[in-house]
Amino acid sequence: MSWRIVVISSRAKLDLKMNYLVVRGEEIRRIHLSEISTIMIENTAVSLTAALLCELTRRKIKVIFCDEKRNPSSELLPYYGSHDTSGKIRQQIQWRKETKRLVWMEIVTEKIRQQAEFLRWLHRDEAYELLRGYMAEMEPGDETNREGHAAKVYFNGVFGMDFTRSSENSINAALNYGYGILLSTFNREIVTQGYVTQLGLFHDNQFNQFNLGSDLMEPFRPLIDRAVYDLSPEVFTHDEKMAIVNVLNQKVEIDGKQQYLNYAVKIYCRSIFDALAENDVGLIRFYTNGL
């Protein structure tokens, strides 16, 4: 199973030779493609050959490109991720509305549960109890927006009463960076399993090409939140970014086994698609992280 996350931070040329990624910078380094799960191109002075891009796509290796500020801005996604993509897309279009509402309720409830467990771990007892109450009030499709109410209580409980997600500060920069990495991970898995990212369960913005990824990633956001809380960055620079990227290397428990987060995402996404196909939310498998 591929496991390496390769980050290219300096000017370099990347090419392919004998199934190796060859990085030609101040020195030449080689990494076998079978070991790589993700490549992050941080520097806009990096060049890549078309042969390498084609092979990375074929092997379903995630490639994330950053902008001039070294923030994730785009990713490499194949047109076809599975041999039966056409059939999967037809299934996706035909998912029942009520099943989507029930699946979304399960996703949001689990997200709030993960947030509540983090608050409990931080001994924010009042905020924890509020979130537990919101979970009990959840309805199909989250008609009463318990997710939005929980978010305000949660972020104030974790980062302080003066914190807002709209502020420009290092905490929000770190959160946004981490969420971007997480979204890319889900987008890759959705495409790999033969579905399209544009057609979501709850998110349906016509200008968002990653609606489904935005849906499915929700319960995993608290993993980024915890990493940012542990860092408490006063500035958000390269070292902090690498610490956030390393979240993908941590282990969680899912379906009774310890798995690296990358593989846990695969198990979780497959279970969501099974639940939608079989109209059975009992098939969904969520992770636990031992808080």
Side-chain angles (χ1 to χ4, degrees):
M1 183 176 68
S2 56
W3 55 275
R4 285 194 177 189
I5 300 173
V6 177
V7 181
I8 310 297
S9 300
S10 304
R11 177 188 296 270
K13 179 179 179 180
L14 312 185
D15 58 30
L16 174 70
K17 187 172 184 180
M18 302 294 290
N19 293 319
Y20 280 84
L21 166 66
V22 181
V23 183
R24 304 180 188 277
E26 294 183 359
E27 54 185 88
I28 298 177
R29 298 183 180 180
R30 294 177 174 85
I31 307 170
H32 199 275
L33 293 180
S34 64
E35 299 179 2
I36 302 173
S37 68
T38 303
I39 299 175
M40 174 173 287
I41 311 297
E42 269 207 323
N43 195 310
T44 55
V46 172
S47 61
L48 302 86
T49 64
L52 174 62
L53 289 174
C54 288
E55 187 62 18
L56 294 173
T57 300
R58 189 182 71 80
R59 290 175 177 258
K60 300 181 174 64
I61 295 172
K62 179 174 64 178
V63 182
I64 301 172
F65 298 96
C66 295
D67 59 21
E68 69 282 358
K69 296 181 179 179
R70 298 178 181 262
N71 292 318
S73 62
S74 61
E75 59 190 270
L76 179 66
L77 285 173
Y79 278 142
Y80 313 107
S82 174
H83 69 282
D84 57 351
T85 294
S86 296
K88 293 287 184 63
I89 294 173
R90 281 196 291 270
Q91 288 180 13
Q92 186 174 0
I93 293 170
Q94 293 170 1
W95 285 338
R96 294 181 181 176
K97 181 177 180 180
E98 187 56 34
T99 303
K100 290 194 290 184
R101 284 164 52 81
L102 290 172
V103 170
W104 178 244
M105 180 178 72
E106 293 294 321
I107 287 172
V108 173
T109 301
E110 178 61 19
K111 175 187 179 181
I112 297 175
R113 189 191 72 78
Q114 291 286 352
Q115 291 174 328
E117 287 303 305
F118 187 29
L119 290 170
R120 183 179 62 82
W121 186 76
L122 294 172
H123 304 291
R124 310 290 200 265
D125 296 337
E126 184 177 350
Y128 167 77
E129 293 298 337
L130 279 172
L131 263 64
R132 297 293 296 184
Y134 291 144
M135 289 172 59
E137 299 166 356
M138 190 63 64
E139 299 176 358
D142 190 20
E143 293 285 355
T144 57
N145 192 27
R146 297 298 91 182
E147 180 193 17
H149 291 291
K152 179 175 176 54
V153 173
Y154 170 71
F155 281 113
N156 287 156
V158 174
F159 296 113
M161 296 303 295
D162 294 332
F163 178 81
T164 63
R165 281 289 288 131
S166 59
S167 300
E168 292 189 11
N169 53 48
S170 57
I171 296 292
N172 275 321
L175 290 172
N176 292 338
Y177 185 85
Y179 295 156
I181 299 298
L182 205 56
L183 178 60
S184 294
T185 302
F186 276 89
N187 290 335
R188 181 192 64 169
E189 195 54 47
I190 290 165
V191 172
T192 297
Q193 296 197 30
Y195 299 92
V196 295
T197 60
Q198 291 91 339
L199 302 179
L201 307 175
F202 173 76
H203 292 85
D204 64 353
N205 189 324
Q206 65 176 324
F207 304 110
N208 180 7
Q209 59 182 330
F210 302 129
N211 283 311
L212 187 55
S214 301
D215 289 328
L216 301 192
M217 69 179 279
E218 293 293 354
F220 288 72
R221 285 178 181 263
L223 295 172
I224 299 298
D225 304 336
R226 183 180 181 184
V228 174
Y229 176 85
D230 289 342
L231 281 173
S232 296
E234 294 184 7
V235 294
F236 189 57
T237 58
H238 177 74
D239 290 343
E240 287 77 20
K241 289 179 180 178
M242 293 305 96
I244 297 295
V245 170
N246 198 47
V247 171
L248 297 179
N249 287 324
Q250 76 176 71
K251 285 189 173 183
V252 296
E253 183 175 323
I254 188 167
D255 208 13
K257 295 181 181 179
Q258 289 286 318
Q259 304 283 2
Y260 286 105
L261 185 62
N262 263 326
Y263 197 72
V265 168
K266 179 187 291 292
I267 294 170
Y268 161 73
C269 286
R270 185 181 297 132
S271 77
I272 292 284
F273 298 141
D274 288 344
L276 288 160
E278 301 296 331
N279 300 302
D280 182 2
V281 296
L283 298 175
I284 301 175
R285 297 291 177 263
F286 292 112
Y287 74 93
T288 59
N289 64 350
L291 279 182

